[in-house]
Amino acid sequence: MEIAYINSPLGAIEIKGNEEGIASVRFLGSEEKETNVISENLQPCSNQLKEYFEGNRSQFDLKLNPEGTNFQKRVWDKLLEIPFNTTLSYLEMANRLGDPKVIRAAASANGKNPISIIIPCHRVIGSDGSLTGYGGGLHRKKWLLAHENPVKQQSLF
């Protein structure tokens, strides 16, 4: 498994993958030196994440290879269907999976998403509009949702 580190406005990000695709993208709690020479398997992911953070990308075009159960992969596939600048509740996610009773299992799979940002688990919120848990931290979830919102609040003063 190849590894690369990039810097972002939200801290260091670790990218793991190989010729079979991207296996994980995760925020690190510590600072990491950005990888100088990124392998050809990870370079497209690095470039696209940087474009996303610069505001120049709203969709990713990458080969993904996350490890998980069949149910988790079904949930992650549904997450990929959530458009940029759109949110969905956990209940809506369960309904899209075909059974509102799987809400807890869907929430658990959402929380185990190994490919942050690209598989947009940050776009799933509580039914009441609250920013429920996020593996990368609620401050990052709030930032990502604000970053994707084209309407920026202007200062009155």
Side-chain angles (χ1 to χ4, degrees):
M1 191 69 56
E2 300 165 14
I3 300 174
Y5 300 97
I6 63 169
N7 294 319
S8 82
L10 297 171
I13 293 176
E14 177 189 77
I15 303 167
K16 286 185 180 180
N18 55 29
E19 64 281 347
E20 294 178 20
I22 301 300
S24 73
V25 171
R26 67 182 186 103
F27 292 103
L28 301 176
S30 61
E31 292 297 315
E32 287 289 335
K33 185 175 180 183
E34 190 157 5
T35 304
N36 289 329
V37 179
I38 297 177
S39 75
E40 67 181 50
N41 292 318
L42 303 183
Q43 190 65 55
C45 183
S46 171
N47 291 344
Q48 290 184 33
L49 282 169
K50 288 178 181 183
E51 290 168 358
Y52 169 84
F53 284 114
E54 292 166 354
N56 298 321
R57 177 173 289 278
S58 60
Q59 295 182 346
F60 294 92
D61 181 23
L62 298 165
K63 183 177 178 184
L64 304 179
N65 189 27
E67 286 189 26
T69 66
N70 287 337
F71 180 77
Q72 288 171 334
K73 289 178 181 181
R74 276 186 56 218
V75 171
W76 301 335
D77 285 344
K78 290 295 180 191
L79 291 172
L80 287 167
E81 295 174 7
I82 304 172
F84 187 83
N85 188 36
T86 304
T87 57
L88 195 72
S89 73
Y90 288 99
L91 180 58
E92 290 170 312
M93 174 62 67
N95 287 333
R96 287 186 180 194
L97 290 164
D99 185 355
K101 295 177 192 159
V102 301
I103 188 169
R104 290 185 189 273
S108 176
N110 190 62
K112 292 183 172 117
N113 169 24
I115 304 179
S116 293
I117 304 167
I118 297 163
I119 298 178
C121 56
H122 62 278
R123 296 181 188 152
V124 182
I125 60 173
S127 294
D128 62 358
S130 62
L131 298 185
T132 55
Y134 181 64
L138 284 180
H139 68 288
R140 289 188 176 113
K141 182 173 188 164
K142 183 177 180 181
W143 190 97
L144 291 167
L145 291 173
H147 176 67
E148 293 183 5
N149 187 341
V151 178
K152 304 293 182 199
Q153 177 66 39
Q154 299 296 316
S155 173
L156 297 175
F157 303 101

